[in-house]
Every structure is written in C-alpha cells, then in structure tokens.
Amino acid sequence: MSIVSVPRRVYRILKVVFVFAYSIVEVFIQRPKTRAARAAWLSKIGNRLCRAADVTYETRGPVPMSGAVISNHLTYVDILIHAAIRPGVFVSKIELRSTPVLGWISFMAGTIYVARGAGGSAAKAAEGMAKGFRDGLPVTFFPEGTTGVGDVPVLPMRSGLLSQAIAADVPVHYGFIRYSLTPRDLARGKTVRDDVDWGPETLWQHIWNFVDLHGVHGVVTFAPEPIAFSPAAIANRKVAALEAQAAMESLARSTDPNPVAVAS
C-alpha cells in the first residue's frame, strides 16, 4: 500500500462519517413520519454519500417511479446509486438491521426486512411491499440474494420476493448496473472486479480498498418495459425466477460491457 494513498483514504472516510452524522441529526430534527418522506430522506443520503466517495452515476432508459424494481447486485454501492436516483423503498436481508449505523438508517428509511427461513417472514415482507406499492413508491430488491463479482452477468435468482410482487399485481421493472474506473486507477492496476465488486472481503476491508480509488462511475440501464411473465411463471414462482433471470441477462447483453471510464 502506498503511503501517499493513506491520507486520501482517511479523508474520504471522514467525509463519509460526516455525511452519516449530519443525516442522523437531520432525521432527528425533521422526524419524517410518512414512508414517502423517509424515502426522500434516504435518497438525499444516497446522493450525499456518492459525492463524498467520488461516485458518479447516470441512468439509461426510463427510470421506474413505481411498482417493483429488480437489479443485479455487485456491491453496497448499488444501493447508494439506486437510492440516489429517486426516492423509493428497499427490501433487505434482516442481517442489515443489526449492522452498526447502516442498520439504524435503513430502519428509519422504511426498509423492509426479510429473514430467510423464518416463520412469517414472507407475509411480513409482502405486507411491507404492499404498503410501498400503495404509497406509489418503487420497491427495489436484488433477487440474486447476494453480491457477485462480475464473473457472470447475473447469478441465479431467488423466487420469494418476485412471487410477492407478482401476487401484488404490480409491474416488475428491471435494471442492470455496471461500473467503470478512472484511467488513473486503471493505470495503477485497479479493476472493477477486485476494487468495486464486493467479493470475499469483509465490509471494512472492502471499504478500505474502495476509498483508495480516485473515482467510480456507475451506469444503470433500465429496460423499456417491465417483465412480461408467462402464465406458467405467474402460476409457478420458480419459473418466474428463471424468466426474470433471462430478462436480466438479455438486458446485460444489450449494455456496453466497457462503459467510458470517468476522468480522474
């Protein structure tokens, strides 16, 4: 590790800590009561954290403003960008609730938690998603259930949340996210796979590597239409998961595998 990079990493981490501290004070003062107000607060946090970490983003295609929204999942930065794009509700694994700071913020933002294998979890998730749909907010989740490292465009999808969205009779929109690095970082041997996508490292190890980058650019491509599930998929959630995966893979093939690197 270069000694020169340590001040940059520390500076970025301090900026991120300040954003969290400011946002926590803000929510205590404003005390947003509605789901829409909490979603708007989370969107502001997403934009602030992106600026603090030198993450830029752009969208291509129509941004879904309601219904269910699914996406591939590479890193926690996906959540920041999806939140920053517009206010919405997220569905997350219950483990996030116990994560320091992030768990409290996710709770205050109205996140819907899912505990796999726990009795009643699916019903609670369905109830939470239905409330988000009724409020006219997009409900975003990552059906892969874990983060990949870009070795394959899309991992196998879990069917539970997809079946809840289909049962709620809402459109299931889908997007595909890719990242690019600055020419300066590419020249240093940095890669999206090792330094942006979250692989086997711990959260803190990944953050320490991530804040050494000079900039990251995310491109979220949304499909022009929601997934048109077949009658078989509507009747069988396993088929629905396969059709959603196929739609996502098709979208991935239509996106630029090497988006233009951002300037350093």
Side-chain angles (χ1 to χ4, degrees):
M1 178 181 63
S2 171
I3 296 178
V4 177
S5 71
V6 173
R8 180 174 61 253
R9 298 183 198 218
V10 172
Y11 175 63
R12 284 227 178 99
I13 290 174
L14 288 176
K15 287 200 299 180
V16 168
V17 169
F18 174 79
V19 167
F20 278 123
Y22 178 86
S23 300
I24 289 172
V25 171
E26 179 182 53
V27 77
F28 272 118
I29 293 174
Q30 296 181 353
R31 295 189 177 277
K33 294 180 174 59
T34 66
R35 192 177 298 271
R38 291 185 174 191
W41 174 67
L42 180 63
S43 187
K44 287 193 292 185
I45 294 177
N47 277 292
R48 290 168 183 163
L49 288 173
C50 283
R51 288 194 296 269
D54 290 323
V55 174
T56 58
Y57 64 87
E58 64 178 290
T59 63
R60 298 174 183 174
V63 177
M65 302 303 291
S66 61
V69 182
I70 64 172
S71 171
N72 62 316
H73 197 16
L74 298 170
T75 173
Y76 47 83
V77 182
D78 306 341
I79 301 172
L80 298 184
I81 291 178
H82 276 284
I85 290 171
R86 76 289 189 239
V89 177
F90 285 86
V91 184
S92 175
K93 293 184 290 187
I94 190 63
E95 288 80 5
L96 175 63
R97 181 69 183 91
S98 59
T99 303
V101 183
L102 295 176
W104 185 85
I105 287 179
S106 69
F107 174 75
M108 291 302 297
T111 298
I112 302 160
Y113 301 107
V114 179
R116 293 197 181 96
S121 178
K124 290 179 180 178
E127 181 183 356
M129 292 170 70
K131 289 179 180 177
F133 297 143
R134 287 197 298 269
D135 289 342
L137 295 167
V139 178
T140 301
F141 58 94
F142 304 95
E144 292 168 305
T146 187
T147 54
V149 290
D151 292 337
V152 295
V154 183
L155 298 175
M157 293 188 176
R158 300 177 184 271
S159 60
L161 294 177
L162 279 169
S163 67
Q164 301 291 356
I166 292 173
D169 196 25
V170 297
V172 179
H173 304 277
Y174 57 112
F176 189 84
I177 189 166
R178 291 188 189 274
Y179 293 97
S180 59
L181 302 181
T182 65
R184 185 173 180 181
D185 284 326
L186 292 173
R188 296 165 61 210
K190 299 291 185 178
T191 66
V192 170
R193 186 190 189 282
D194 293 335
D195 298 289
V196 179
D197 299 351
W198 187 6
E201 307 99 335
T202 66
L203 174 62
W204 305 114
Q205 287 174 330
H206 188 272
I207 289 175
W208 186 247
N209 288 335
F210 186 83
V211 294
D212 184 43
L213 299 172
H214 290 86
V216 174
H217 186 65
V219 177
V220 186
T221 302
F222 290 104
E225 300 290 341
I227 300 174
F229 288 105
S230 68
I234 295 173
N236 186 323
R237 69 181 197 175
K238 300 297 184 182
V239 177
L242 291 174
E243 290 188 4
Q245 182 177 343
M248 187 82 71
E249 289 172 341
S250 177
L251 181 62
R253 289 192 294 269
S254 71
T255 63
D256 185 358
N258 298 296
V260 177
V262 294
S264 58

